[in-house]
Amino acid sequence: MKKKHAWLAALLNFILLGVGTIYNGKRVLVGVLLTIGAIGSTYVELQMKEAAPELYNYAFASFFILAVAMTIDAYKEAKSINSSQQ
């Protein structure tokens, strides 16, 4: 497997969940499903902003925490891929 840039995997996963996981190439199906879920969740979040503005902050915070967790996951996975190649 080709060497991965951990910072790029992390950035991609933060911008759009799953893309960094796809970039790493180890769990592509998981990455694709995360990306589809992120797109759907973003749509719901934006609809919630108008329909239930009192809940929007909770949804935003939840999605932000998930994005941070997946950013860390992609970074660690890229580092693991690189260390296993040495």
Side-chain angles (χ1 to χ4, degrees):
M1 192 174 275
K2 190 176 174 185
K3 184 178 177 185
K4 303 297 177 182
H5 299 282
W7 63 269
L8 180 58
L11 180 64
L12 289 171
N13 246 19
F14 187 78
I15 292 171
L16 183 59
L17 291 181
V19 177
T21 305
I22 294 168
Y23 165 77
N24 282 337
K26 244 179 138 177
R27 301 176 294 164
V28 175
L29 179 61
V30 170
V32 169
L33 294 174
L34 277 170
T35 302
I36 293 168
I39 292 168
S41 296
T42 301
Y43 175 77
V44 169
E45 184 180 7
L46 292 174
Q47 297 303 313
M48 184 182 290
K49 189 172 186 177
E50 290 182 24
E54 67 280 358
L55 297 176
Y56 175 76
N57 290 336
Y58 296 111
F60 181 83
S62 298
F63 293 133
F64 184 79
I65 291 167
L66 180 61
V68 170
M70 293 309 300
T71 297
I72 294 167
D73 178 69
Y75 182 86
K76 288 183 175 183
E77 183 177 60
K79 287 287 195 179
S80 172
I81 290 167
N82 292 339
S83 68
S84 69
Q85 292 176 351
Q86 295 176 354

